[in-house]
Amino acid sequence: MSSPSRALVIVSGGAAHSPFTTPDAACRGGLPAGTTDTFLREGLLAAGHEVFTAPAHVGAGQALADEAEPGFSAPPEVLPAEVTINSAGTIDGAGHHLAGFLALLSQRYGYSSFDLVAHSMGGLFSRAALRVLRDAASPLCVRSLTTIGTPWTGSFAAEVEAGQRDPADLAGDPRFAAVLAGFSAEAASAPRDGAAEQVTSGYLAGADGWNARQGGLLDGLTVTLVGGAAFTADGPRSAWPNDGLVSLRSALAQDVPASVLPHRVTHTFDDVHSLFFAGQFGLPVERALTWDPAVLAVVADAVAREA
């Protein structure tokens, strides 16, 4: 259970709209904490944690609403853009805004340490925030990091779009033509050099990649990594099995060296990346990573273990 000086923050990923919510207040319309965060928030509140959700907007701006069903509206408070994650912007830019959000929670409520529970690119945004805090010599402490479906070494869909991967790698399941087309449409409306372009192995991996530049940040943390393996087919392990968007190999950071990620605990579930993919593939909501009770149990255990 969280102490009064400690808060748990849920961080959503790329192209996400998420509201700012507090332990005592949530959205009055749509889902209480949006599509990604609601189930985790409710379960972690029930476990006794001080849970906040970090606001996110696709593009620079404030998290006012998500018009895509079931979405959210009428959040308890709309925070300034400066502390709202631009989920279509750069990883490092999102990290600066998330670090500012943590500082705001500290100033308002007196929290000095945080547990970060991050979905998808939220795991990369969280790591970027850790670097911002370190470089600023901030007194704030991140006690634990749990990543859920995070593309530690990229997403195969982004790599196809960037010309870094042959679409034939995904030919083992004909349904993935629609996945790639959907990502391409999303990327076409995203800013250049933003999240959609950076979530590739070409940007993240390798001796000169973004991951390598984060060495030392996680030395004092045991990071819990959760990956989805709903789909499998013949093809390269860098693509299969996967959750519909991120390969299991990437989600479990299997190619991230110990110099970057020295202490890890990994878990695999037969889940898809998000509610969107559950709907696209005709699966129950419990098969989405952030709506799976078994994933919630792992997250709760990881946070309790680090307490």
Side-chain angles (χ1 to χ4, degrees):
M1 182 178 295
S2 295
S3 68
S5 64
R6 186 177 182 187
L8 187 154
V9 176
I10 301 174
V11 185
S12 53
H17 289 281
S18 293
F20 167 59
T21 69
T22 75
D24 303 313
C27 297
R28 299 186 300 277
L31 293 173
T35 303
T36 301
D37 301 343
T38 291
F39 180 76
L40 289 174
R41 173 183 180 270
E42 292 177 351
L44 292 167
L45 281 173
H49 298 288
E50 295 281 301
V51 182
F52 294 81
T53 59
H57 180 263
V58 180
Q62 297 171 295
L64 300 168
D66 181 4
E67 297 178 356
E69 293 292 336
F72 72 86
S73 62
E77 182 181 355
V78 177
L79 295 182
E82 291 76 16
V83 292
T84 299
I85 294 168
N86 175 0
S87 62
T90 65
I91 296 169
D92 290 333
H96 277 279
H97 285 215
L98 178 56
F101 175 69
L102 298 180
L104 181 146
L105 295 184
S106 177
Q107 293 161 7
R108 279 195 183 184
Y109 304 103
Y111 299 114
S112 58
S113 62
F114 299 91
D115 299 288
L116 301 183
V117 176
H119 176 247
S120 194
M121 285 193 75
L124 303 179
F125 301 160
S126 296
R127 293 169 60 205
L130 280 168
R131 191 181 68 252
V132 172
L133 294 175
R134 181 197 66 183
D135 292 349
S138 171
L140 301 182
C141 171
V142 173
R143 295 289 303 274
S144 72
L145 173 63
T146 302
T147 67
I148 304 170
T150 290
W152 283 75
T153 49
S155 163
F156 55 78
E159 291 162 359
V160 169
E161 179 65 18
Q164 297 177 18
R165 178 182 293 277
D166 188 340
D169 287 352
L170 282 303
D173 188 329
R175 295 174 294 180
F176 277 77
V179 172
L180 298 178
F183 186 92
S184 181
E186 188 85 31
S189 62
R192 290 186 57 81
D193 300 320
E197 292 193 2
Q198 292 184 345
V199 64
T200 65
S201 59
Y203 181 81
L204 296 169
D208 298 320
W210 186 87
N211 279 325
R213 299 194 295 274
Q214 316 311 310
L217 284 177
L218 302 175
D219 285 357
L221 298 179
T222 297
V223 181
T224 299
L225 303 98
V226 177
F231 306 104
T232 187
D234 291 334
R237 291 186 61 213
S238 58
W240 304 97
N242 65 64
D243 64 7
L245 189 64
V246 177
S247 73
L248 184 64
R249 189 175 187 87
S250 181
L252 300 187
Q254 291 178 350
D255 296 312
V256 175
S259 59
V260 175
L261 181 59
H263 313 291
R264 70 185 81 185
V265 177
T266 63
H267 301 269
T268 302
F269 295 91
D270 188 26
D271 286 347
V272 294
H273 192 72
S274 64
L275 272 186
F276 172 80
F277 285 94
Q280 185 173 14
F281 291 102
L283 298 171
V285 297
E286 295 83 2
R287 290 285 304 282
L289 278 167
T290 62
W291 287 78
D292 185 339
V295 173
L296 171 61
V298 162
V299 173
D301 179 69
V303 174
R305 185 179 62 245
E306 294 303 313

